[in-house]
Amino acid sequence: MKKFRKVLDGLTTSSPGGTIGSPSCGSAAGTPTSAPTPKEIDIQETLVSENFQLCKTVRHGFPYQPTSLAYDPVQKILAIGCRTGGIRILGGPGVDSYCQHESGAAVLQLQFLINEGALVTACADDTLHLWNLRQRRPAVLHSLKFNRERITFCHLPFQSKWLYVGTERGNTHIVNIESFVLSGYVIMWNKAIELSTKTHPGPVVHLSDSPKDEGKLLIGFESGTIVQWDLRGKKADFRIYYDEAIHSVGWHHEGKQFMCSHSDGSLSMWNLRNTTKPFQVTYPHGKIQKDGRKESCKPILKVEYKTTRNSEPFVIFSGGLSYDKAGRRPTLTIMHGKAITVLEMDYPIVEFMALCETPYNNEVQEPYAVVVLLEKDLIVVDLTQSNFPVFENPYPMDIHESPVTCTAYFADCPPDIIPILYSIGAKHKKTGYSQKEWPVAGGTWTLGSHTYPEIIVTGHADGSIKFWDASAITLQMLYKLKTSKAFEKPKPAEGRAAELVEEDPFAVQMVSWCPQSRIFCVVGISAHIILYRFSKYDANTQIVSLEVRLQCEAEDVISPSDNENNPCFSESGSHSPQTHQQHPASPGSGTPEGNKDSIPCIKVKDRMVRVPPGYQAELVIQLLSVDGEPPQQITSLDINSAYGLLAFGNCNGLAVVDYLQKTILLCMSTLDLYGAADPYQRLTRSPRRNRQSTSGLTELSDNQQSIDMERSKSPTSESRENSFSRSRSSSVSSIDRDTKEAITTLQFGESYGRKGDALPTPCLWVGTSLGVVLLIPMSIPTDHEERMEETVTIGPSGTVLMLKGSVLHFSFLDCLGALIQSPHEVWRDPNASEDPDRVRKRKLVHFSASSSQDNCGEGHLAVVCSEKQAKVLLMPSQSCLFVHNITESSFVLQADVVSVSNSVCLACFCANGHVMTLSLPSLRPLMDVNYLPLTDMRIARTFCFTNGGQALYLSSPTEIQRITYSQEMCDNLQEMLGELFTPIETPEAQNRGFLKGFFGGNSHNFDREELFGEAAAGKGSRSLAQHIPGQAGMEGMKVAASGVVGDLARARIALDERGQRLGELEDRTALMMTSAETFSKHAHELMLKCKDKKWYQF
């Protein structure tokens, strides 16, 4: 039980910086005030360390930098390998798993053990890994590290336990998949080729067993040499020497002929009856030139040759276009009989694979689709329709359609918001997709019991906003909003103006959303803010534009003697119908002369426009450029729908806008907000303008390198770079005026603007980059008509509190420790047809701190978190109850007060990668996990917490990683994830018939165990490959999912363990027998030695 008393004699706060400018904070006792304070606040803290555990939940988006592809035709699941060592395994809806190789080596090739629930990966560090997919979180069972040779190609025949591994030296090794050890059987390159050949054939680029006879292995070497190796006879059946390099080989299912793709853009067809030369060579995209020669073509990197029962075979290949067609997009060509279809792709093709009805390579293949893995997309083409349409992709593979520049995460949204966003977004979906179901439909997934509405919002470099349904660990696109539509199309600039034009002028910097009132605010990189209202109906509207001048320079400061009410300056212009009216006088609303040439960076549409249902722009606020210099970027924003106010700030100052009356209420420099309460003694300086670079926002999209965050810019504000070196110690008494003090965070709420206040009033809490907290009380008319006509009065009170480092977050707790929600307006459709004579009144919901005064008297707690420390203040006395120094060596990037396990805590993410939670209000450390040792700028910009113990960040330019720090969610995660493996009967092989079986070779009697097993071939060289047992051998199997698979797995484990124990018992018995025999032998020898000796000879 935590007791807070009015007299805090026994409480000491170890805050070295808590005394400057704040007589009450950090002192031994709160300064008594005339306002009534609670005699005793009694809060039961329920959260303990056991409530917290950090783990990854799910990863969404397109696999970053993909390298390889595999498909299980029986289980119908797809695997994608990446350059960073990641693997994504995809099935039906909800079946989406991510796993990572510890080494981080690129995945070169993937091979499913078809219908076995396992996957083999070959990585760039020459290691093979066997992954167990019979558990919801795949894990490595075995690894095999090659030491002397580099892996170039792998092939695993269907229903075989022997994996063929080709190497850079041209050798082919064979690995037992069950034990993951090398066989002694090796096909050496010099045995495969003729001894008379003087040159090395190059690395192995292809391995496949003949469909006609599994005992024949086709080996393709890079130089153009092809060898069919008789595994039984250990000799070559035939050798082909072709003068063009080989990239891939595809068999006809009867095993009598095969096709090769080459580096000159040709396809060669070979018949096994005559292998001296190809019986057909074609250049699909090479035309005959005037001189009779074929034009040169690009390499055909892969070809697939698939047969059908009722029509001509399909020949599918990538590449092969002629060199003279510059600028042509990457293509996939589908040849079906005489018809040739060229499909142009948006990105380079990494890999493709035809999906066929049968897993057997000696049956008619019947391809029905082609999976095409591109550098930044995944598409599946329907082969069953003549126009080859693509399937609609059920996975969110287009998060990166434009680079993501900001994220926001909202858990526990109002339940009606997701259906309404989906219904409006569905009207704008693309059409022309295949009518068939998405073919990759394997695995099973059920909606867990621990689900609630969740929405993720992403802002992008092109100014678009995407709303995603993130409920139940899935991700589905709901609605897309294009903010650029509020502006005229930018005209190409010339000269100096071209240098200042932003490459992405509409890029989104931050968003603020009130799901209850459905009001949405967007901050753009061109120092603009757009306010949107939501409507289910289309409408004709004219966007109101306000222009604000936030600029604070030494020569512009007006002395108090000139104009006491105008300490700074602003300019307010309006293209609204009220342009002829004078704006009501308010602090800082004066308009200086000489700014007529100030123009915004981008022009708002100033005409009536027809807007579709959804989010409709109502107001645009733009900061003006001054003297040709672009305005400073906006660093903080808050909107309150109940108050009808919007506040924003940058490194020059603060502005508050009444978006109901479309007026500027306050426009003031940061320095002038203090009044006489400025805690710093500032030095004057000569006028100096610092142009701020605005190119950093979209750089995070492709910059993969980790950077030292201790020296990097803190993501809340570019200007925090300046304050970082100066604000680490709050003992600084004199600060150079050149240090611009940015507004880093803003929060509207019901609070006490002054120590003497008896009742809470609407307030704006302001935090700066120098660790200063300011309170600005406001007077807002409560009556609807008065609110629309009378002016909201705002008066900075000069109230100052101090923290170390830039202020990041404000939250408010009531006297029972519960989070006080901000007041909000209940949503009503602005375009709904209602009685025109009836006045539409706003319905407001106030979660006022005074509502609980019956329980504990007036007052509430304010939680303030900065880059360095957190404080809990008792309002209105402003006594500092608790202080905690979060980090000394690093700084906090993101902080939020969130709900976990029916309570609240303060969650922090630091630049050194630590994720921490602190109890409230006592600020006890509950969890501290070193989660991301190296944090790059992209993660820093996109990391955000939400309720329910969840968080997310952009783990790569194309993927969102969601994590949880709640023990309860970690415990329930197994239930929420999908099953990758489902027990399915392997389809039976077709009856080949007597004649085909008789003349087609004796493939089914081929026993690989006899050839490759230890008894026949011996063990492989230990120096060549080293076996590494996986960490998930038994343990991984034990967490296999419940149900039939889980029971089978558990039975298998039990048998293995029983067999292991029996084996150990047998070993011990054998050891005892050996010991007994040795003892008997020694006893007999001793008896013989002593038999003839007399008693006195001993």
Side-chain angles (χ1 to χ4, degrees), residues 405 461-462 490-493 496-509 524-528 601-602 630-631 633 691-699 718:
T405 51
D462 64 354
K491 294 177 182 177
R496 174 158 168 73
E499 297 173 20
L500 301 175
V501 170
E502 179 63 38
E503 186 181 348
D504 295 304
F506 307 113
V508 179
Q509 263 188 307
I525 201 168
S526 298
H528 65 273
C601 303
I602 43 181
Q633 289 179 13
R691 186 187 165 215
Q692 186 177 357
S693 169
T694 59
S695 62
L697 185 64
T698 55
E699 284 176 6
E718 298 282 358

Side-chain angles (χ1 to χ4, degrees), residues 1089-1098:
K1089 192 176 180 181
C1090 303
K1091 187 172 68 171
D1092 298 327
K1093 285 188 178 181
K1094 303 295 182 185
W1095 63 270
Y1096 52 82
Q1097 290 177 313
F1098 285 101

Side-chain angles (χ1 to χ4, degrees), residues 668-696:
M668 195 176 274
S669 73
T670 318
L671 177 62
D672 294 306
L673 288 172
Y674 292 118
D678 188 358
Y680 294 115
Q681 178 188 349
R682 302 181 194 250
L683 303 176
T684 57
R685 65 176 175 85
S686 59
R688 182 174 160 192
R689 301 193 180 275
N690 295 325
R691 186 187 165 215
Q692 186 177 357
S693 169
T694 59
S695 62

Side-chain angles (χ1 to χ4, degrees), residues 406-410 455-459 511-513 942 944-945 952:
C406 79
T407 58
Y409 193 3
F410 302 89
I455 287 179
I456 293 171
V457 180
T458 54
V511 296
S512 179
W513 187 40
T942 57
C944 50
F945 292 101
L952 66 78

Side-chain angles (χ1 to χ4, degrees), residues 546 572-585 589 591 660-664 788-791:
L546 287 177
S572 56
S574 173
H575 298 302
S576 67
Q578 306 133 325
T579 46
H580 62 281
Q581 295 178 6
Q582 187 70 32
H583 288 303
S589 66
T591 307
L660 296 176
Q661 296 186 25
K662 312 293 189 291
T663 56
I664 300 165
M788 300 307 291
E789 294 172 5
E790 293 185 13
T791 306

